[in-house]
Amino acid sequence: MRQRSLVALMCCLALLSGCLGEGSSDAGGGAGEYRIDATVSSLQIEAKTDYYSDDESSDWTVSSDDFLEQIETAGGNVIGVALSLSYPGEDESPNPGLCTGLEDDVPDTIYGTVTKNEWTQTANGVNPGSHDVNLTWHNQTLLDQATVNVSSEQAIHDQLSFGTTALGDYSLSVVVEAEAFEGALCTHTDNGEDVSTVVSLLVLDYTVVMVGENGEVAAQGVSVGEGSLPIPLFLLWFTAVLLMVGYLNVNRTRFHLDVVLEEDAEPVENVADNGSTTDGGETLLDSARARILTLCALYVAQGIPWGFITVTFVTFLADEGVSAGQIAMLLTLGTLPWSLKFLWGPVIDRYQRPQYGRRRPWILIAQTGMIIMLIGMLFVPDPAVNVEWMAWMFLVYNIFTALQDVSTDALAVDVLPPHEVERVNSYMFTAKSAGGIIGGAGLGTIIGITGIKGALLLQVPILIVIMLVPLFMTERPGEKRFPWDEGGEVEVVEEAPNGNFATILANVKTAMSLRSAQLGIAVSITKSLAFFLIPILPLLFIRELDWSVERFNATKGGIILLVSMLGYLAGGQLGKMYGGKTVIIWSAVATATVSVLWGLSSDWWGNTYFLMGIWCVHTFVFHMVAINTYSLMMRVTWGEVGGTQYTGYMAMMNLSAIIGYQLTEPLSRFDYTTLFFVAAMLETFIIFAVAFIDPTETDRILGNKAEDQPS
């Protein structure tokens, strides 16, 4: 019955996505005064010189298809085509007769025509000389005024932005009407003229800002659309959520809300207060200190390339004039290995060398590959010119980084005892954020001194130092660090590597036969559905509230990232004290509540302190949900196939974010208040998925890794 309810919930999500596509199609704010900041660029797409015969129409077409990247870089909105014609000469020739050569040539008339769909423009001139034919289809009056008063912002976009309608083929023609001297004793002949033509696209880059009576940016009532959904719909949903949460808390034992993960540890006399064993061991199974140091160091190594690529290198390329299309290609290739990282799971579960550790060899292979690729990038002559080379190298680089991520997560599943899961997970993701700061803000500052090659070079010793951690650690007693070490027998013989892929698949099937493992899929899919707000927030801050791009990026990459780290830390500690499910449920309620308050407080959006405060609180509580979700998924993962199962959950969390991003377009027709309400609804879906998970089920039924843990 409960599983059918969960299926019904997911169907409701699909239906919601469809229903949300039926609202108003308008985008932008309502009636009022607007300021349009615009720049028109000329993008040359053809230049040639031809001979045009007298009174013959010469027709041809040109296309924008090969210039889409340049168009996007220039602003993305084609508003016209310019045809420039130049004809500096006159080539009349005298006929037989009494011609002295002193006769005046008669000017010819040259016509030029440009046509796009139903739009057409013709202009002419006489030789020698030149003239232009400018065909435009936008409302220039809007751009000529300081401000415009319109019924809606969409009315402006309708007159300035024509999307794909303005792209494609453009028809052009040139006609020469030749005239020649005709005297009583002398005549001339003129069969045509040489005409040089240059075809350019006129591209508009513009922003629209609503202004108040005093000319300042208007904060009240700003929106991305005019559509809305009925308030009772949200009231009914949030009432149901609160009733659900109340029911869960009344029946805490039944729904495992009283399970404090720290109590799952073995007898206290063998475990110190900090979670490490008291036998003085140095392996990851023996020492909490070694576990925390190793896992956090490996997550720092993952965060550095993420911060470097998405912040430092992208900013460098943009500053060097690289097109948006090329930057998008680089980011796409760099992201691809992370979207497919689940494929590594069966590989690392299948191929192991237990005498050197189940996961350690794969981690060392991954870090070695990362370092080699970084060194290889140093030999690319000019990264801003050879972007394609850099993109493919980043692809390979991120294949190794994704391999390290999968191997590290599998290592955490193997070695973390139940009472450390929440706390150490919070440390790991905080370490990844710290790595992002090093790669982004840190190397972003260094690049101004050392250049891009210096920033690349600096990462090499950092990764080498981090690599020393797994190089000199061992996972279990009896393992060898290096082939020449004498190393004894590995104690945990029952966790021998899986024999083949069939065994791995059978074990995955066994792991996923448990209800909690199955519900983990629903938890992963519902975690990031509200991510449609990520593309929306820049519109609110930059387009509506007139923040600069630099200010928004600095805030998001600085304060918000630090708040994320604090959310990870606080969430991990609270999960350790009160149980991860309890923290997920109440943090999800808090996240949704903040989203509702954000939507209701549009009158305060012009206040920077209020806006920053509510953004920070929302970020903080969401990351408390996130860190405990990671921990919960780790608890329902069976260690025998940890690399496959847990990575699968993480991949589905990425899929959840993709679904959220795809909701942006159908939802963007609604006003900001409605968008925040919808986000609040989606942020509560995870409560229903989490409610029926038993965090102890995998340990209890499959013996997750109890034999490995210190006692």
Side-chain angles (χ1 to χ4, degrees), residues 207-225:
T207 57
V208 180
V209 180
M210 178 178 278
V211 296
E213 294 181 358
N214 59 355
E216 298 297 327
V217 175
Q220 184 174 356
V222 293
S223 61
V224 293

Side-chain angles (χ1 to χ4, degrees), residues 680-697:
M681 289 180 62
L682 297 178
E683 286 163 347
T684 59
F685 279 19
I686 195 172
I687 296 174
F688 295 89
V690 165
F692 302 103
I693 288 184
D694 177 2
T696 67
E697 184 178 18

Side-chain angles (χ1 to χ4, degrees), residues 359-538:
R359 315 300 183 184
R360 177 173 170 266
W362 284 111
I363 292 172
L364 292 174
I365 290 172
Q367 289 202 310
T368 301
M370 292 165 64
I371 293 171
I372 291 174
M373 291 309 301
L374 275 176
I375 295 174
M377 292 176 195
L378 293 173
F379 292 94
V380 177
D382 187 345
V385 174
N386 299 284
V387 177
E388 186 172 348
W389 270 103
M390 294 295 292
W392 286 106
M393 296 182 79
F394 271 129
L395 170 68
V396 179
Y397 180 80
N398 277 280
I399 289 175
F400 288 113
T401 308
L403 172 59
Q404 179 186 289
D405 177 66
V406 174
S407 303
T408 302
D409 288 342
L411 177 65
V413 171
D414 286 351
V415 303
L416 285 179
H419 66 286
E420 287 184 357
V421 171
E422 278 81 2
R423 178 165 57 94
V424 177
N425 258 280
S426 70
Y427 294 162
M428 291 162 60
F429 281 90
T430 301
K432 186 172 184 177
S433 298
I437 293 176
I438 294 172
L443 294 179
T445 302
I446 294 295
I447 197 174
I449 303 173
T450 64
I452 190 65
K453 292 295 185 70
L456 284 167
L457 180 61
L458 189 59
Q459 291 180 75
V460 174
I462 294 176
L463 292 184
I464 290 176
V465 170
I466 293 175
M467 186 176 175
L468 295 177
V469 176
L471 186 64
F472 288 98
M473 68 85 169
T474 53
E475 299 177 30
R476 297 165 178 78
E479 293 175 352
K480 298 193 298 183
R481 291 189 176 92
F482 307 103
W484 53 84
D485 290 345
E486 294 185 356
E489 295 290 333
V490 178
E491 292 184 0
V492 191
V493 295
E494 59 269 29
E495 281 209 348
N498 294 289
N500 50 56
F501 288 111
T503 302
I504 294 174
L505 293 176
N507 286 336
V508 170
K509 183 177 180 180
T510 299
M512 296 306 297
S513 67
L514 303 181
R515 187 182 68 171
S516 294
Q518 296 168 2
L519 289 171
I521 298 174
V523 171
S524 301
I525 290 294
T526 56
K527 170 182 169 289
S528 302
L529 295 176
F531 269 27
F532 73 85
L533 282 179
I534 292 179
I536 293 294
L537 285 181

Side-chain angles (χ1 to χ4, degrees), residues 52-359:
Y52 297 89
S53 299
D54 178 30
D55 210 24
E56 291 185 8
S57 178
S58 298
D59 304 322
W60 77 100
T61 60
V62 295
S63 175
S64 63
D65 293 348
D66 294 333
F67 302 90
L68 296 180
E69 291 183 6
Q70 295 91 321
I71 292 172
E72 188 64 30
T73 301
N77 302 296
V78 176
I79 59 169
V81 181
L83 173 62
S84 296
L85 302 95
S86 176
Y87 28 85
E90 169 61 77
D91 62 354
E92 292 186 18
S93 57
N95 294 321
L98 299 177
C99 295
T100 65
L102 299 176
E103 297 83 7
D104 292 330
D105 292 338
V106 179
D108 302 331
T109 304
I110 292 88
Y111 294 86
T113 301
V114 181
T115 302
K116 173 61 177 175
N117 300 331
E118 71 275 13
W119 305 303
T120 188
Q121 181 71 35
T122 300
N124 61 76
V126 295
N127 66 346
S130 63
H131 75 275
D132 297 327
V133 184
N134 291 324
L135 170 64
T136 60
W137 42 79
H138 69 296
N139 187 349
Q140 181 63 32
T141 304
L142 293 177
L143 304 182
D144 293 336
Q145 301 178 54
T147 61
V148 293
N149 196 303
V150 291
S151 60
S152 69
E153 183 183 337
Q154 183 63 40
I156 297 175
H157 296 300
D158 288 343
Q159 299 177 73
L160 296 180
S161 180
F162 296 83
T164 56
T165 304
L167 301 176
D169 293 338
Y170 311 92
S171 300
L172 305 110
S173 69
V174 171
V175 176
V176 173
E177 290 187 355
E179 300 288 344
F181 175 80
E182 292 190 9
L185 301 176
C186 175
T187 61
H188 288 184
T189 298
D190 192 343
N191 295 321
E193 294 296 339
D194 288 318
V195 179
S196 298
T197 57
V198 176
V199 183
S200 302
L201 298 181
L202 304 178
V203 185
L204 174 66
D205 184 12
Y206 74 100
T207 57
V208 180
V209 180
M210 178 178 278
V211 296
E213 294 181 358
N214 59 355
E216 298 297 327
V217 175
Q220 184 174 356
V222 293
S223 61
V224 293
E226 296 180 341
S228 62
L229 293 175
I231 296 298
L233 172 66
F234 300 108
L235 293 178
L236 287 173
W237 178 262
F238 294 127
T239 299
V241 169
L242 292 177
L243 290 175
M244 177 67 174
V245 173
Y247 180 74
L248 293 175
N249 279 274
V250 170
N251 299 275
R252 295 182 62 83
T253 302
R254 176 183 174 187
F255 292 99
H256 311 286
L257 297 189
D258 287 326
V259 175
V260 179
L261 298 180
E262 186 171 1
E263 295 177 354
D264 291 340
E266 291 297 319
V268 177
E269 60 266 19
N270 293 326
V271 182
D273 291 338
N274 64 357
S276 62
T277 57
T278 57
D279 59 2
E282 296 182 355
T283 69
L284 298 189
L285 283 182
D286 294 333
S287 171
R289 182 179 304 164
R291 289 191 287 271
I292 294 172
L293 173 63
T294 300
L295 294 173
C296 288
L298 294 175
Y299 261 61
V300 169
Q302 294 175 32
I304 291 175
W306 167 72
F308 175 76
I309 294 173
T310 60
V311 179
T312 302
F313 194 64
V314 166
T315 303
F316 162 77
L317 293 179
D319 187 57
E320 291 292 316
V322 175
S323 70
Q326 289 179 298
I327 294 176
M329 175 190 65
L330 180 138
L331 291 175
T332 299
L333 290 177
T335 305
L336 184 62
W338 293 90
S339 303
L340 302 175
K341 68 177 185 176
F342 64 90
L343 297 176
W344 280 117
V347 176
I348 68 171
D349 281 338
R350 165 65 179 87
Y351 298 104
Q352 299 176 4
R353 299 292 297 275
Q355 65 268 38
Y356 298 109
R358 293 187 64 188
R359 315 300 183 184

